[in-house]
Amino acid sequence: MKRLFGSKKEVPPPPSLDEAGGNVGTRVDALDEKIKKLDAELRVHKEKLKTSRGGAKQLATKRAMACLKKKRMYETQRDQLANQQFNIEQAGFAIESAKDTVTTVSAMKAASTQLKKQYKEFNVDEIEDMTDDLADMMEDMNEINEAMGRSYACPDDVDEADLEAELDLLGDELEAEELEMESGAQPSYLQPSDMPETPAGGLEEKVNEDEFGLPQAQQA
């Protein structure tokens, strides 16, 4: 059958963008080298035109014109190839961007699916009730702490006037004590008391005790 109809020829795969861009870049570099050589030739022709006369000058002018035309042609080709290389690079960038977009979309889809599964485990009403309960408990704890830290049997109506009066009184007492010390008199709080040293009824009689510490009967 292959002899009658022949076999299908295998079509080679198309070149990649990197290969195409590399080939175009090589051609651009080669044209740049040719343009540099033509620039060098034009400098030589320029020097010859300065010193030539008559027919020699006309010949040098024709050669310079031919060199310039060739340079213009190479520059046009180089610019065209440079545009092609730019388009190839742009196409490659677009392809890479498309690949990145596909990867990003796939990752976001997987993340969305995972989030949906996790959200199913949550109950918004239960979370709100929990936060309300926590807020209530914190408020109760604040009230308890405030009650435990409350001061008892302390007057609340003491103001600055009371404080100044108390300080003035203490100052007067201190001055009085200093005057007593300077005069050599004994301060009032160190003076002996007027109370009798011994009670009016006298001391109780001593009770005799036996060897066991028990009181002994008094003999008549």
Side-chain angles (χ1 to χ4, degrees):
M1 295 295 291
K2 290 183 179 180
R3 293 180 180 178
L4 295 175
F5 299 102
S7 60
K8 185 177 180 180
K9 295 181 180 180
E10 294 182 359
V11 179
S16 64
L17 290 176
D18 292 336
E19 294 175 353
N23 294 333
V24 174
T26 302
R27 294 176 62 186
V28 171
D29 294 337
L31 288 172
D32 285 333
E33 291 297 328
K34 291 180 180 180
I35 292 171
K36 288 180 181 179
K37 291 180 180 180
L38 292 174
D39 286 335
E41 291 181 12
L42 286 173
R43 293 190 188 94
V44 174
H45 292 311
K46 181 180 180 181
E47 296 298 327
K48 288 183 178 181
L49 288 173
K50 291 180 180 179
T51 57
S52 299
R53 296 290 184 275
K57 186 174 183 179
Q58 292 179 358
L59 181 60
T61 301
K62 289 181 180 180
R63 290 179 178 177
M65 291 295 293
C67 184
L68 181 59
K69 289 179 180 179
K70 190 181 292 185
K71 178 186 174 182
R72 294 284 187 266
M73 180 184 66
Y74 288 157
E75 287 177 346
T76 302
Q77 293 177 359
R78 182 197 59 187
D79 293 341
Q80 291 176 352
L81 290 175
N83 290 333
Q84 292 180 13
Q85 187 178 15
F86 177 76
N87 293 333
I88 291 172
E89 292 176 354
Q90 286 293 101
F93 178 78
I95 292 174
E96 293 297 327
S97 298
K99 291 180 180 179
D100 294 338
T101 302
V102 171
T103 303
T104 303
V105 171
S106 299
M108 292 180 67
K109 286 182 178 179
S112 177
T113 303
Q114 186 176 1
L115 284 173
K116 289 179 180 179
K117 291 181 180 179
Q118 292 180 350
Y119 278 137
K120 290 180 180 179
E121 300 177 1
F122 298 148
N123 189 332
V124 178
D125 295 333
E126 292 180 357
I127 295 175
E128 290 181 353
D129 294 338
M130 179 186 66
T131 55
D132 292 339
D133 293 340
L134 288 174
D136 293 338
M137 286 189 289
M138 293 300 296
E139 186 175 357
D140 294 339
M141 287 300 299
N142 290 332
E143 293 179 357
I144 293 172
N145 292 331
E146 183 179 356
M148 296 296 295
R150 189 178 302 164
S151 300
Y152 297 97
C154 292
D156 295 333
D157 54 349
V158 177
D159 53 10
E160 293 182 0
D162 296 332
L163 178 61
E164 292 179 359
E166 184 69 20
L167 293 176
D168 292 339
L169 179 61
L170 292 175
D172 295 340
E173 293 179 356
L174 182 61
E175 290 179 0
E177 292 176 359
E178 290 177 352
L179 291 174
E180 291 178 357
M181 295 294 292
E182 292 176 357
S183 61
Q186 191 175 16
S188 59
Y189 60 87
L190 295 179
Q191 293 178 0
S193 176
D194 295 336
M195 297 178 63
E197 296 181 359
T198 304
L203 297 175
E204 296 181 357
E205 297 180 357
K206 185 176 180 181
V207 179
N208 296 326
E209 297 178 353
D210 58 9
E211 58 182 349
F212 297 105
L214 300 175
Q216 295 179 353
Q218 296 182 358
Q219 296 179 358

